[in-house]
Coordinates of all heavy atoms in Angstrom, one line a residue:
M1 N 3.6 -8.7 -40.9 CA 3.5 -8.5 -39.5 C 2.2 -8.9 -38.9 O 1.2 -8.7 -39.5 CB 3.7 -7.0 -39.2 CG 4.0 -6.6 -37.8 SD 4.5 -4.9 -37.5 CE 3.0 -4.2 -36.8
R2 N 2.3 -9.6 -37.8 CA 1.0 -10.1 -37.1 C 0.1 -8.9 -36.6 O 0.7 -8.0 -36.1 CB 1.5 -11.0 -36.0 CG 0.2 -11.7 -35.3 CD 0.8 -12.8 -34.3 NE 1.4 -12.0 -33.2 CZ 0.8 -11.6 -32.1 NH1 -0.5 -11.9 -32.0 NH2 1.3 -11.0 -31.0
K3 N -1.1 -9.1 -37.0 CA -2.0 -8.0 -36.6 C -2.3 -8.2 -35.1 O -2.7 -9.2 -34.6 CB -3.3 -8.1 -37.4 CG -4.3 -7.0 -37.1 CD -5.6 -7.2 -38.0 CE -6.6 -6.2 -37.7 NZ -7.1 -6.4 -36.3
L4 N -2.2 -7.1 -34.4 CA -2.5 -7.0 -32.9 C -3.9 -7.0 -32.7 O -4.6 -6.4 -33.5 CB -1.8 -5.9 -32.2 CG -0.2 -5.9 -32.2 CD1 0.4 -4.7 -31.7 CD2 0.2 -7.1 -31.4
P5 N -4.5 -7.6 -31.7 CA -5.9 -7.5 -31.4 C -6.3 -6.1 -31.1 O -5.6 -5.4 -30.3 CB -6.1 -8.6 -30.2 CG -4.8 -8.7 -29.6 CD -3.8 -8.4 -30.7
G6 N -7.5 -5.8 -31.4 CA -8.1 -4.6 -31.0 C -8.7 -4.6 -29.6 O -8.7 -5.7 -29.0
W7 N -9.2 -3.5 -29.1 CA -9.7 -3.6 -27.7 C -10.9 -4.4 -27.6 O -11.2 -4.9 -26.5 CB -10.0 -2.1 -27.2 CG -11.1 -1.4 -27.9 CD1 -11.0 -0.6 -28.9 CD2 -12.4 -1.4 -27.5 NE1 -12.3 -0.1 -29.3 CE2 -13.2 -0.6 -28.4 CE3 -13.2 -2.0 -26.4 CZ2 -14.6 -0.4 -28.4 CZ3 -14.5 -1.8 -26.4 CH2 -15.3 -1.0 -27.3
K8 N -11.7 -4.5 -28.7 CA -12.9 -5.3 -28.5 C -12.6 -6.8 -28.4 O -13.3 -7.5 -27.6 CB -13.8 -5.1 -29.8 CG -14.5 -3.8 -29.8 CD -15.3 -3.6 -31.0 CE -16.0 -2.2 -31.1 NZ -16.6 -2.0 -32.2
E9 N -11.5 -7.3 -29.0 CA -11.1 -8.6 -28.9 C -10.4 -8.9 -27.5 O -10.6 -9.9 -26.8 CB -10.0 -9.1 -29.9 CG -10.5 -9.3 -31.2 CD -10.5 -8.0 -32.1 OE1 -9.8 -7.0 -31.6 OE2 -11.0 -8.0 -33.2
L10 N -9.8 -7.8 -26.9 CA -9.2 -7.9 -25.6 C -10.2 -8.1 -24.5 O -10.0 -8.7 -23.5 CB -8.3 -6.7 -25.3 CG -7.0 -6.6 -26.1 CD1 -6.2 -5.3 -25.8 CD2 -6.1 -7.8 -25.7
V11 N -11.3 -7.6 -24.6 CA -12.4 -7.7 -23.7 C -12.7 -9.1 -23.4 O -13.0 -9.6 -22.3 CB -13.7 -7.0 -24.2 CG1 -14.9 -7.3 -23.3 CG2 -13.4 -5.4 -24.2
E12 N -12.6 -10.0 -24.5 CA -12.8 -11.4 -24.3 C -11.8 -12.1 -23.5 O -12.0 -13.1 -22.8 CB -12.9 -12.0 -25.7 CG -14.0 -11.6 -26.6 CD -15.4 -11.8 -26.0 OE1 -15.6 -12.9 -25.5 OE2 -16.3 -10.9 -26.1
T13 N -10.5 -11.7 -23.6 CA -9.4 -12.4 -23.0 C -8.8 -11.6 -21.8 O -8.0 -12.2 -21.1 CB -8.4 -12.7 -24.0 OG1 -7.9 -11.4 -24.6 CG2 -8.9 -13.6 -25.1
G14 N -9.0 -10.4 -21.7 CA -8.4 -9.5 -20.7 C -8.9 -9.8 -19.3 O -9.8 -10.7 -19.1
P15 N -8.4 -9.1 -18.3 CA -8.9 -9.3 -16.9 C -10.3 -8.9 -16.7 O -10.8 -7.9 -17.3 CB -8.0 -8.3 -16.1 CG -7.3 -7.5 -17.0 CD -7.3 -8.0 -18.4
I16 N -11.0 -9.7 -16.0 CA -12.4 -9.5 -15.8 C -12.7 -9.4 -14.3 O -12.3 -10.3 -13.6 CB -13.3 -10.7 -16.4 CG1 -13.0 -10.8 -17.9 CG2 -14.7 -10.5 -16.2 CD1 -13.6 -11.9 -18.6
I17 N -13.4 -8.4 -13.9 CA -13.8 -8.2 -12.5 C -15.2 -8.8 -12.3 O -16.2 -8.3 -12.8 CB -13.8 -6.7 -12.1 CG1 -12.4 -6.2 -12.2 CG2 -14.3 -6.6 -10.6 CD1 -12.3 -4.7 -12.1
L18 N -15.1 -10.0 -11.6 CA -16.5 -10.7 -11.5 C -17.2 -10.2 -10.4 O -18.5 -10.2 -10.4 CB -16.1 -12.2 -11.3 CG -15.4 -12.9 -12.4 CD1 -15.0 -14.3 -12.0 CD2 -16.3 -12.9 -13.7
E19 N -16.6 -9.7 -9.3 CA -17.3 -9.1 -8.2 C -16.6 -7.9 -7.7 O -15.4 -7.7 -7.7 CB -17.2 -10.1 -7.0 CG -18.2 -11.3 -7.0 CD -17.9 -12.2 -5.7 OE1 -17.8 -11.5 -4.7 OE2 -17.7 -13.3 -5.9
A20 N -17.5 -6.9 -7.5 CA -17.0 -5.6 -7.0 C -16.3 -5.8 -5.6 O -16.7 -6.6 -4.8 CB -18.1 -4.5 -6.8
G21 N -15.2 -5.0 -5.5 CA -14.5 -5.1 -4.1 C -13.5 -6.3 -4.0 O -13.0 -6.6 -2.9
N22 N -13.3 -7.0 -5.1 CA -12.4 -8.2 -4.9 C -11.0 -7.9 -4.9 O -10.2 -8.8 -4.6 CB -12.7 -9.3 -6.1 CG -12.3 -8.8 -7.4 OD1 -11.8 -7.7 -7.6 ND2 -12.6 -9.5 -8.4
S23 N -10.6 -6.6 -4.9 CA -9.2 -6.3 -4.9 C -8.7 -6.6 -3.4 O -7.4 -6.6 -3.3 CB -9.0 -4.8 -5.2 OG -9.7 -4.0 -4.3
V24 N -9.6 -6.7 -2.4 CA -9.1 -7.0 -1.1 C -8.4 -8.3 -1.0 O -7.6 -8.6 -0.1 CB -10.2 -6.9 0.0 CG1 -10.7 -5.5 0.2 CG2 -11.3 -7.8 -0.3
E25 N -8.6 -9.1 -2.0 CA -8.0 -10.5 -2.0 C -6.7 -10.5 -2.4 O -5.9 -11.4 -2.3 CB -8.9 -11.4 -2.8 CG -10.3 -11.7 -2.2 CD -11.2 -12.3 -3.2 OE1 -10.7 -13.0 -4.1 OE2 -12.5 -12.3 -3.1
Y26 N -6.2 -9.3 -3.1 CA -4.9 -9.2 -3.7 C -4.0 -8.6 -2.7 O -3.9 -7.4 -2.6 CB -4.9 -8.5 -5.0 CG -5.7 -9.3 -6.0 CD1 -7.0 -8.9 -6.4 CD2 -5.3 -10.4 -6.7 CE1 -7.8 -9.6 -7.2 CE2 -6.0 -11.1 -7.6 CZ -7.3 -10.7 -7.8 OH -8.1 -11.4 -8.8
K27 N -3.2 -9.4 -2.0 CA -2.3 -8.9 -1.0 C -1.0 -8.3 -1.6 O 0.0 -9.0 -1.8 CB -1.9 -10.0 0.1 CG -3.2 -10.6 0.7 CD -3.8 -9.8 1.8 CE -5.2 -10.4 2.2 NZ -5.1 -11.5 3.1
T28 N -1.0 -7.1 -2.0 CA 0.0 -6.5 -2.7 C 1.2 -6.2 -1.8 O 2.3 -5.8 -2.4 CB -0.5 -5.2 -3.4 OG1 -1.2 -4.4 -2.4 CG2 -1.5 -5.4 -4.5
G29 N 1.1 -6.3 -0.5 CA 2.3 -6.1 0.4 C 3.4 -7.0 0.2 O 4.6 -6.7 0.6
D30 N 3.2 -8.2 -0.5 CA 4.3 -9.1 -0.7 C 5.3 -8.6 -1.8 O 6.3 -9.3 -2.0 CB 3.8 -10.5 -0.9 CG 3.0 -10.6 -2.2 OD1 2.9 -9.7 -2.9 OD2 2.5 -11.8 -2.5
W31 N 5.2 -7.4 -2.4 CA 6.2 -6.8 -3.3 C 7.2 -6.2 -2.5 O 8.2 -5.7 -3.0 CB 5.5 -5.8 -4.1 CG 4.3 -6.2 -5.0 CD1 3.8 -7.5 -5.1 CD2 3.5 -5.4 -5.9 NE1 2.8 -7.6 -6.0 CE2 2.6 -6.3 -6.5 CE3 3.5 -4.1 -6.2 CZ2 1.6 -5.8 -7.4 CZ3 2.6 -3.6 -7.1 CH2 1.7 -4.5 -7.7
R32 N 7.0 -5.9 -1.2 CA 7.8 -5.0 -0.4 C 9.2 -5.5 -0.1 O 9.4 -6.6 0.0 CB 7.1 -4.8 0.9 CG 7.4 -3.7 1.8 CD 6.6 -3.6 3.1 NE 6.5 -4.9 3.7 CZ 5.3 -5.5 4.0 NH1 4.1 -4.9 3.5 NH2 5.2 -6.6 4.6
T33 N 10.1 -4.5 -0.2 CA 11.5 -4.7 0.1 C 11.9 -4.2 1.4 O 12.7 -4.8 2.2 CB 12.5 -4.1 -1.0 OG1 12.2 -4.6 -2.3 CG2 14.0 -4.5 -0.7
F34 N 11.3 -3.0 1.7 CA 11.5 -2.3 3.0 C 10.1 -2.2 3.7 O 9.1 -2.0 3.0 CB 12.1 -1.0 2.8 CG 13.5 -1.0 2.3 CD1 13.8 -0.9 1.0 CD2 14.5 -1.2 3.3 CE1 15.1 -1.1 0.5 CE2 15.9 -1.3 2.8 CZ 16.2 -1.2 1.5
R35 N 10.1 -2.3 5.0 CA 8.8 -2.0 5.7 C 8.9 -0.9 6.7 O 9.9 -0.7 7.4 CB 8.5 -3.3 6.5 CG 9.3 -3.7 7.6 CD 8.7 -4.7 8.6 NE 7.9 -5.7 8.0 CZ 6.8 -6.3 8.5 NH1 6.4 -5.9 9.7 NH2 6.1 -7.2 7.9
P36 N 7.9 -0.1 6.7 CA 7.9 1.1 7.6 C 7.5 0.6 9.1 O 6.6 -0.2 9.2 CB 6.8 2.0 7.0 CG 5.9 1.1 6.3 CD 6.7 -0.1 5.9
E37 N 8.2 1.1 10.0 CA 7.9 0.8 11.4 C 7.8 2.1 12.1 O 8.7 3.0 12.1 CB 9.0 -0.2 12.0 CG 8.9 -1.5 11.4 CD 9.7 -2.6 12.1 OE1 10.4 -2.3 13.1 OE2 9.8 -3.7 11.5
I38 N 6.7 2.2 12.9 CA 6.4 3.4 13.7 C 7.0 3.3 15.1 O 6.7 2.4 15.8 CB 4.9 3.7 13.6 CG1 4.4 3.9 12.2 CG2 4.5 5.0 14.5 CD1 2.8 3.9 12.2
D39 N 7.6 4.5 15.5 CA 8.0 4.6 16.9 C 6.9 5.3 17.6 O 6.9 6.6 17.4 CB 9.3 5.3 17.1 CG 9.8 5.5 18.4 OD1 9.0 5.2 19.4 OD2 10.9 5.9 18.7
Y40 N 6.0 4.6 18.3 CA 4.8 5.3 18.8 C 5.2 6.3 20.0 O 4.4 7.2 20.3 CB 3.8 4.2 19.2 CG 3.1 3.6 18.1 CD1 3.4 2.3 17.7 CD2 2.0 4.3 17.4 CE1 2.7 1.7 16.6 CE2 1.4 3.7 16.4 CZ 1.7 2.4 16.0 OH 1.2 1.8 15.0
S41 N 6.3 6.1 20.5 CA 6.7 7.1 21.6 C 6.9 8.5 21.0 O 6.9 9.4 21.8 CB 7.9 6.5 22.3 OG 9.1 6.7 21.5
K42 N 7.2 8.6 19.8 CA 7.4 9.9 19.1 C 6.3 10.4 18.3 O 6.1 11.5 18.0 CB 8.7 9.8 18.2 CG 10.0 9.6 19.1 CD 11.1 9.6 18.0 CE 12.4 9.2 18.6 NZ 13.4 8.8 17.6
C43 N 5.3 9.5 17.9 CA 4.2 9.8 17.1 C 3.3 10.8 17.7 O 2.9 10.7 18.8 CB 3.5 8.5 16.7 SG 2.0 8.8 15.7
T44 N 3.0 11.9 17.0 CA 2.1 12.9 17.5 C 0.7 12.8 16.9 O -0.2 13.6 17.2 CB 2.6 14.3 17.1 OG1 2.7 14.4 15.6 CG2 4.0 14.6 17.5
T45 N 0.4 11.7 16.2 CA -0.9 11.4 15.6 C -1.3 12.6 14.6 O -2.5 13.0 14.6 CB -2.0 11.2 16.7 OG1 -1.4 10.5 17.8 CG2 -3.1 10.3 16.1
C46 N -0.3 13.1 13.9 CA -0.7 14.2 12.9 C -1.4 13.7 11.7 O -2.1 14.5 11.0 CB 0.6 14.9 12.6 SG 1.6 13.9 11.5
L47 N -1.4 12.4 11.5 CA -2.1 11.7 10.4 C -1.5 12.0 9.0 O -2.1 11.7 7.9 CB -3.6 12.1 10.4 CG -4.3 11.7 11.6 CD1 -5.9 12.0 11.4 CD2 -4.1 10.2 11.9
F48 N -0.4 12.6 8.9 CA 0.4 12.9 7.6 C 0.5 11.5 6.9 O 0.3 11.4 5.7 CB 1.7 13.5 7.8 CG 1.5 15.0 7.7 CD1 0.5 15.7 8.3 CD2 2.7 15.8 7.3 CE1 0.4 17.0 8.3 CE2 2.6 17.2 7.2 CZ 1.5 17.8 7.8
C49 N 1.0 10.4 7.6 CA 1.2 9.2 7.0 C -0.1 8.6 6.4 O -0.1 8.1 5.3 CB 1.9 8.2 7.9 SG 0.9 8.0 9.6
W50 N -1.1 8.7 7.2 CA -2.5 8.4 6.7 C -2.9 9.1 5.5 O -3.4 8.4 4.5 CB -3.5 8.5 7.9 CG -4.9 8.3 7.5 CD1 -5.7 7.2 7.4 CD2 -5.9 9.3 7.1 NE1 -6.9 7.4 7.0 CE2 -7.1 8.7 6.8 CE3 -5.8 10.8 7.0 CZ2 -8.2 9.4 6.4 CZ3 -6.9 11.5 6.6 CH2 -8.1 10.8 6.4
L51 N -2.6 10.4 5.4 CA -3.1 11.2 4.3 C -2.2 11.0 3.1 O -2.8 11.0 2.0 CB -2.8 12.7 4.8 CG -3.3 13.8 3.8 CD1 -4.8 13.8 3.6 CD2 -2.9 15.2 4.3
F52 N -0.9 10.8 3.3 CA 0.0 10.6 2.0 C 0.2 9.2 1.6 O 0.7 9.1 0.4 CB 1.4 11.3 2.4 CG 1.4 12.7 2.3 CD1 1.4 13.5 3.6 CD2 1.5 13.4 1.2 CE1 1.4 14.9 3.5 CE2 1.5 14.8 1.1 CZ 1.5 15.6 2.3
C53 N -0.1 8.2 2.3 CA 0.1 6.9 1.8 C -0.6 6.7 0.5 O -1.9 6.7 0.4 CB -0.3 5.8 2.8 SG -0.2 4.1 2.2
P54 N 0.0 6.3 -0.6 CA -0.6 6.2 -1.9 C -1.4 4.9 -2.0 O -2.1 4.7 -2.9 CB 0.6 6.2 -2.9 CG 1.8 5.8 -2.1 CD 1.5 6.2 -0.7
D55 N -1.2 4.0 -1.1 CA -1.9 2.7 -1.1 C -2.9 2.6 -0.1 O -3.6 1.5 0.1 CB -0.9 1.5 -0.9 CG -0.1 1.4 -2.1 OD1 -0.6 1.1 -3.3 OD2 1.2 1.6 -2.1
S56 N -3.3 3.7 0.6 CA -4.3 3.6 1.8 C -4.0 2.5 2.7 O -4.9 1.8 3.1 CB -5.7 3.6 1.2 OG -5.9 4.6 0.3
A57 N -2.7 2.2 3.0 CA -2.4 1.2 3.9 C -2.3 1.7 5.3 O -1.9 0.8 6.1 CB -1.0 0.5 3.4
V58 N -2.5 2.9 5.6 CA -2.4 3.5 6.9 C -3.9 3.7 7.4 O -4.6 4.3 6.7 CB -1.6 4.7 7.1 CG1 -1.5 5.2 8.5 CG2 -0.1 4.5 6.5
S59 N -4.2 3.1 8.5 CA -5.5 3.3 9.1 C -5.4 4.0 10.4 O -4.3 4.1 11.0 CB -6.2 2.0 9.3 OG -5.6 1.2 10.3
F60 N -6.5 4.7 10.8 CA -6.6 5.4 12.0 C -7.9 5.1 12.8 O -8.9 5.2 12.2 CB -6.5 6.9 11.7 CG -6.6 7.8 13.0 CD1 -5.6 7.7 13.9 CD2 -7.6 8.7 13.2 CE1 -5.6 8.5 15.1 CE2 -7.7 9.5 14.3 CZ -6.7 9.4 15.2
D61 N -7.7 4.5 14.1 CA -8.9 4.1 14.7 C -9.4 5.2 15.7 O -10.2 4.8 16.6 CB -8.7 2.7 15.5 CG -7.5 2.9 16.6 OD1 -7.1 4.1 16.8 OD2 -7.2 1.9 17.2
G62 N -9.0 6.4 15.5 CA -9.3 7.4 16.4 C -8.4 7.7 17.6 O -8.3 8.7 18.2
K63 N -7.4 6.7 17.7 CA -6.4 6.8 18.7 C -4.9 6.8 18.2 O -4.0 7.6 18.5 CB -6.5 5.8 19.8 CG -7.7 6.0 20.7 CD -7.8 5.0 21.8 CE -9.0 5.3 22.7 NZ -9.4 4.1 23.4
K64 N -4.7 5.7 17.3 CA -3.4 5.6 16.8 C -3.4 5.1 15.3 O -4.4 4.6 14.9 CB -2.4 4.8 17.6 CG -2.8 3.3 17.6 CD -1.7 2.6 18.3 CE -1.7 1.1 18.0 NZ -0.7 0.4 18.7
V65 N -2.4 5.5 14.6 CA -2.3 5.0 13.2 C -1.7 3.6 13.2 O -0.9 3.3 14.0 CB -1.4 5.9 12.4 CG1 -2.2 7.3 12.1 CG2 -0.1 6.2 13.0
E66 N -2.1 2.9 12.3 CA -1.5 1.5 12.0 C -1.3 1.3 10.5 O -2.1 1.6 9.8 CB -2.4 0.5 12.7 CG -2.1 0.3 14.1 CD -2.9 -0.9 14.7 OE1 -4.1 -0.9 14.8 OE2 -2.2 -2.0 14.9
I67 N -0.2 0.5 10.3 CA 0.1 0.1 8.9 C -0.4 -1.3 8.6 O -0.2 -2.2 9.4 CB 1.6 0.3 8.7 CG1 2.0 1.7 8.9 CG2 1.9 -0.2 7.3 CD1 3.5 1.9 8.9
N68 N -1.2 -1.4 7.5 CA -1.6 -2.7 7.2 C -0.6 -3.3 6.2 O -0.5 -2.9 5.0 CB -3.0 -2.5 6.5 CG -3.6 -4.0 6.1 OD1 -2.9 -4.9 5.9 ND2 -4.8 -4.1 6.0
Y69 N 0.2 -4.2 6.7 CA 1.2 -4.9 5.9 C 0.8 -5.8 4.7 O 1.6 -6.2 3.9 CB 2.3 -5.5 6.7 CG 3.0 -4.6 7.7 CD1 2.8 -4.5 9.1 CD2 4.0 -3.7 7.2 CE1 3.5 -3.6 9.9 CE2 4.7 -2.8 8.0 CZ 4.4 -2.7 9.3 OH 5.1 -1.9 10.1
D70 N -0.4 -6.0 4.8 CA -1.0 -6.9 3.7 C -1.0 -6.0 2.3 O -0.9 -6.6 1.3 CB -2.4 -7.3 3.9 CG -2.5 -8.4 4.9 OD1 -1.4 -9.1 5.1 OD2 -3.6 -8.7 5.3
Y71 N -1.0 -4.7 2.5 CA -1.1 -3.8 1.3 C 0.0 -2.8 1.2 O 0.1 -2.2 0.2 CB -2.6 -3.2 1.3 CG -3.6 -4.1 1.3 CD1 -4.3 -4.4 2.5 CD2 -3.9 -4.9 0.1 CE1 -5.3 -5.4 2.5 CE2 -5.0 -5.9 0.2 CZ -5.6 -6.1 1.3 OH -6.6 -7.1 1.4
C72 N 0.7 -2.5 2.3 CA 1.9 -1.6 2.2 C 2.9 -2.1 1.3 O 3.3 -3.3 1.5 CB 2.5 -1.4 3.7 SG 4.0 -0.7 3.6
K73 N 3.2 -1.3 0.3 CA 4.3 -1.7 -0.7 C 5.7 -1.3 -0.3 O 6.6 -1.5 -1.1 CB 3.9 -1.3 -2.1 CG 2.6 -1.9 -2.6 CD 2.5 -1.7 -4.1 CE 1.1 -2.0 -4.6 NZ 0.3 -0.8 -4.6
G74 N 5.8 -0.5 0.8 CA 7.1 -0.2 1.3 C 7.7 1.0 0.5 O 8.9 1.1 0.4
C75 N 6.9 1.9 -0.1 CA 7.5 2.9 -0.9 C 8.2 4.0 -0.1 O 9.0 4.8 -0.6 CB 6.3 3.7 -1.7 SG 5.1 4.5 -0.5
G76 N 7.9 4.2 1.2 CA 8.7 5.1 2.1 C 8.0 6.5 2.1 O 8.7 7.4 2.7
V77 N 6.9 6.7 1.4 CA 6.4 8.0 1.4 C 6.0 8.5 2.8 O 6.2 9.7 3.2 CB 5.1 8.1 0.5 CG1 4.3 9.5 0.6 CG2 5.5 7.9 -1.0
C78 N 5.4 7.6 3.6 CA 5.1 7.9 5.0 C 6.2 8.4 5.7 O 6.2 9.3 6.5 CB 4.4 6.7 5.6 SG 5.3 5.2 5.6
A79 N 7.4 7.7 5.6 CA 8.6 8.0 6.4 C 9.2 9.3 6.0 O 9.5 10.1 6.8 CB 9.6 6.8 6.2
A80 N 9.1 9.6 4.7 CA 9.5 10.9 4.2 C 8.7 12.0 4.6 O 9.1 13.1 4.9 CB 9.6 10.9 2.6
E81 N 7.4 11.9 4.8 CA 6.5 12.9 5.1 C 6.2 13.0 6.6 O 5.8 14.2 7.0 CB 5.1 12.7 4.4 CG 5.1 12.7 3.0 CD 5.5 14.1 2.4 OE1 5.4 15.0 3.0 OE2 5.9 14.1 1.2
C82 N 6.6 12.1 7.4 CA 6.3 12.2 8.8 C 7.2 13.4 9.4 O 8.5 13.4 9.3 CB 6.8 10.9 9.5 SG 6.7 11.0 11.3
P83 N 6.5 14.4 10.0 CA 7.2 15.5 10.4 C 8.2 15.3 11.6 O 9.1 16.1 11.8 CB 6.2 16.5 10.8 CG 4.9 15.8 10.8 CD 5.1 14.4 10.1
V84 N 7.9 14.3 12.4 CA 8.9 14.0 13.5 C 9.7 12.8 13.3 O 10.5 12.5 14.2 CB 8.0 13.9 14.9 CG1 7.2 15.1 15.2 CG2 7.1 12.6 14.7
K85 N 9.7 12.3 12.1 CA 10.6 11.3 11.7 C 10.7 10.0 12.6 O 11.6 9.5 13.0 CB 12.1 11.8 11.5 CG 12.2 12.9 10.5 CD 11.9 12.4 9.1 CE 11.9 13.6 8.1 NZ 11.0 13.3 7.0
C86 N 9.3 9.6 12.9 CA 9.2 8.5 13.8 C 9.0 7.2 13.0 O 8.7 6.1 13.6 CB 8.2 8.7 14.9 SG 6.6 8.8 14.3
I87 N 9.0 7.3 11.7 CA 8.8 6.0 10.9 C 10.1 5.7 10.2 O 10.8 6.5 9.6 CB 7.8 6.3 9.7 CG1 6.4 6.7 10.3 CG2 7.6 5.0 8.9 CD1 5.4 7.0 9.3
T88 N 10.6 4.4 10.5 CA 11.9 4.0 10.0 C 11.6 2.9 8.9 O 10.8 2.1 9.3 CB 12.7 3.3 11.1 OG1 12.8 4.3 12.2 CG2 14.2 3.1 10.7
M89 N 12.3 3.0 7.8 CA 12.1 1.9 6.8 C 13.2 0.8 7.1 O 14.4 1.2 7.0 CB 12.3 2.5 5.4 CG 11.3 3.6 5.0 SD 9.6 3.1 5.1 CE 9.5 1.9 3.8
K90 N 12.7 -0.3 7.4 CA 13.6 -1.4 7.7 C 13.6 -2.5 6.6 O 12.5 -2.7 6.1 CB 13.3 -2.1 9.1 CG 13.6 -1.0 10.2 CD 13.5 -1.6 11.6 CE 13.7 -0.6 12.6 NZ 13.3 -1.0 13.9
E91 N 14.8 -3.1 6.3 CA 14.7 -4.1 5.4 C 13.9 -5.3 5.7 O 13.8 -5.8 6.9 CB 16.2 -4.6 5.1 CG 16.3 -5.4 3.8 CD 17.8 -5.6 3.3 OE1 18.6 -4.9 3.8 OE2 18.0 -6.3 2.4
E92 N 13.0 -5.7 4.7 CA 12.1 -6.8 5.0 C 12.7 -8.1 5.2 O 13.8 -8.4 4.4 CB 11.1 -6.9 3.8 CG 10.0 -7.8 4.0 CD 9.0 -7.3 5.0 OE1 8.4 -6.3 4.8 OE2 8.8 -8.1 5.9
E93 N 12.4 -8.8 6.2 CA 13.0 -10.2 6.3 C 11.9 -11.2 5.8 O 10.8 -11.1 6.1 CB 13.2 -10.4 7.8 CG 14.3 -9.6 8.4 CD 14.4 -9.7 9.9 OE1 14.0 -10.8 10.4 OE2 15.0 -8.9 10.5
K94 N 12.5 -12.1 5.0 CA 11.6 -13.1 4.3 C 11.7 -14.4 5.1 O 12.6 -14.7 5.7 CB 12.0 -13.4 2.9 CG 11.9 -12.1 2.0 CD 10.5 -11.8 1.6 CE 10.4 -10.6 0.9 NZ 9.0 -10.0 0.7
Ligands
SF4_101 S1 5.6 2.6 2.9 FE1 4.3 3.5 1.4 S2 2.6 1.9 1.1 FE2 3.6 1.6 3.0 S3 2.4 2.7 4.6 FE3 4.2 3.9 4.0 S4 3.3 5.3 2.3 FE4 1.9 3.5 2.6
SF4_102 S1 3.2 11.0 10.1 FE1 4.5 10.3 11.9 S2 3.8 11.5 13.6 FE2 2.2 11.7 12.0 S3 0.8 10.1 12.6 FE3 2.2 9.3 11.1 S4 3.8 8.2 12.4 FE4 2.6 9.7 13.6

């Protein structure tokens, strides 16, 4: 049986982070099948979506929440947690 490399060998060939903060370049939102859309006429600015988003894709500028679709993966957690159900998951159009 072929011997698998140990972790010390993997360091030579595995992913290497050359610069801190370079994850902003990886637009993970293109994995999305469904996109959350906010009905601002019903939004109470409770910030539950901001709090619960596992990808930190919801921002708050002090007035309203906004979804950054570059990083939103469409998991639907925000829509499930929104107490007034003003977030709708819509099928992504390519
Ligand atoms: S769908 Fe998921 S990733 Fe996108 S904003 Fe809502 S909680 Fe965040
Ligand atoms: S959870 Fe719903 S009501 Fe609360 S800030 Fe987000 S969109 Fe608005």
